[in-house]
Amino acid sequence: MNTPSILKRFGSVLTLGAIMSITSCGGSGDSDGGNNSGNASGNAGTGTLSLQITDGPVETADHVYVQFSGLELHAADGQSTALYYCEDPADAANPPIVSDTACATPPAPKQIDLLAQTGGVAEDLLVDFTLPSGRYNWIRLMVDTDAPLDSYIVVGGMNHELTIPSGAQTGLKLNRGFDVPAGGSADFTIDFDLRKSVHFTGNDPATGRYMLRPTLRLADNGMASHIFGTVDPLLVPDGCTPAVYVYEGSGVTPDDIDADINTPDPVTTATVKPDPMDNTKYVYKASFLEAGDYTMAFTCDALADDPTIDDALIFSGTTTVSVTAGAVTVYNF
């Protein structure tokens, strides 16, 4: 019987993956990530911001590398703060530092394999960086696409340049506001959903172009929830590329990912993998979800889901699961 249960969590969201120590080379050079003057929306003081990046999986690639040179934060009062990843002047072998001025040392961009950041794993973009407190309207991720193999995709063991339309000029903009509290901290994860974002043009994978049109989602780590569980092996026959699709709201009729605004797209998807502790079982995890009701459905057709067209995927086990802030919900298919 498919019965959801709630497991209480303690503390904030646990984020797995490589953790990179990032400090500031601007302002006073504080070890907490920088020091800036002014304020974002009229409230005196400063607070800190942490940002991580995670990803929804895609079956068509071995790796998807995106290179970030920095980011820009735009406050509600119109003030913008540009941040750059720079070589540590003390030792170039150290992890990059973050500067609120153009790099005085050589740039040290962060190249991240997004496919390694799935199933609740995330990598840091900022760690406790000091900013003017107040309201911020958007975040822009600055990406590198001009040089060979700065941002690229690996398919079948072969490297292909990854085209990000206007990425080098305008970056990747996330239009969701957030607050940095005076004397406090804000902590968010950016969900970079590759299943929705990777597009292939052409007929021959060896000569076609791979394009990235990112679908970005911002989750507050202090309130984020997760859904995980098992999948009956009988639902995963030979030839199945299994995944769990998660839709906002209850009673949603599941559909594929496409460009049709009249049909629902999942808010996230989760790959179904053999349980590392018991390879006779399958497990999944959907992460960084806001509190509320979600419709969940299982499919064996994840590989056939092309985000540019309408695909006739077959779903099973559709159900509604309610999640609460800061909790882990278990649901087994």
Side-chain angles (χ1 to χ4, degrees):
M1 180 176 182
N2 294 332
T3 305
S5 62
I6 302 294
L7 301 181
K8 297 294 184 182
R9 298 175 62 251
F10 298 91
S12 60
V13 173
L14 176 65
T15 302
L16 306 177
I19 303 298
M20 181 174 287
S21 175
I22 303 178
T23 59
S24 172
C25 65
S28 65
D30 292 346
S31 62
D32 64 3
N35 183 29
N36 297 285
S37 60
N39 62 82
S41 58
N43 296 321
T46 62
T48 63
L49 175 65
S50 295
L51 283 176
Q52 301 154 336
I53 194 163
T54 190
D55 171 53
V58 62
E59 287 76 19
T60 54
D62 306 318
H63 304 276
V64 178
Y65 293 98
V66 176
Q67 185 164 294
F68 300 93
S69 58
L71 59 156
E72 181 184 0
L73 309 168
H74 190 78
D77 65 0
Q79 176 184 340
S80 289
T81 301
L83 304 176
Y84 307 89
Y85 296 124
C86 308
E87 188 177 282
D88 186 344
D91 188 343
N94 287 340
I97 59 176
V98 177
S99 174
D100 55 8
T101 60
C103 293
T105 56
K110 292 171 63 71
Q111 188 182 69
I112 298 175
D113 181 4
L114 294 177
L115 276 185
Q117 318 305 321
T118 63
V121 176
E123 181 153 344
D124 292 325
L125 295 176
L126 287 178
V127 178
D128 293 332
F129 193 89
T130 300
L131 291 167
S133 60
R135 184 70 177 173
Y136 288 81
N137 287 345
W138 50 257
I139 302 169
R140 191 191 307 276
L141 305 178
M142 306 309 297
V143 298
D144 295 331
T145 61
D146 291 338
L149 300 184
D150 46 15
S151 295
Y152 67 101
I153 186 170
V154 183
V155 179
M158 296 181 62
N159 298 335
H160 304 269
E161 292 294 338
L162 194 57
T163 300
I164 306 176
S166 301
Q169 291 75 38
T170 62
L172 307 176
K173 189 175 179 181
L174 181 59
N175 284 305
R176 171 171 167 175
F178 62 94
D179 294 300
V180 174
S185 61
D187 187 5
F188 295 92
T189 294
I190 300 170
D191 186 359
F192 203 116
D193 197 330
L194 287 179
R195 195 186 299 279
K196 299 178 182 179
S197 304
V198 173
H199 303 259
F200 173 72
T201 60
N203 298 317
D204 183 356
T207 59
R209 295 176 65 199
Y210 288 88
M211 304 186 70
L212 190 68
R213 293 190 176 95
T215 300
L216 304 177
R217 181 173 63 90
L218 189 67
D220 184 340
N221 288 341
M223 301 293 289
S225 305
H226 306 259
I227 305 172
F228 79 93
T230 61
V231 174
D232 190 327
L234 295 177
L235 294 175
V236 191
D238 291 342
C240 173
T241 50
V244 173
Y245 281 44
V246 183
Y247 303 82
E248 283 190 291
S250 61
V252 176
T253 300
D255 193 33
D256 70 321
I257 297 170
D258 56 36
D260 187 351
I261 62 173
N262 297 312
T263 58
D265 273 357
V267 64
T268 192
T269 63
T271 295
V272 177
K273 300 179 179 180
D275 187 340
M277 304 300 294
D278 182 355
N279 60 13
T280 66
K281 298 179 180 179
Y282 290 87
V283 293
Y284 75 92
K285 186 176 183 181
S287 298
F288 304 108
L289 297 167
E290 296 182 351
D293 292 337
Y294 293 88
T295 298
M296 302 179 59
F298 173 82
T299 183
C300 264
D301 299 331
L303 185 61
D305 197 352
D306 183 338
T308 64
I309 61 175
D310 185 17
D311 301 296
L313 305 190
I314 297 174
F315 292 95
S316 63
T318 303
T319 189
T320 295
V321 173
S322 297
V323 302
T324 56
V328 176
T329 300
V330 177
Y331 182 82
N332 300 322
F333 284 91

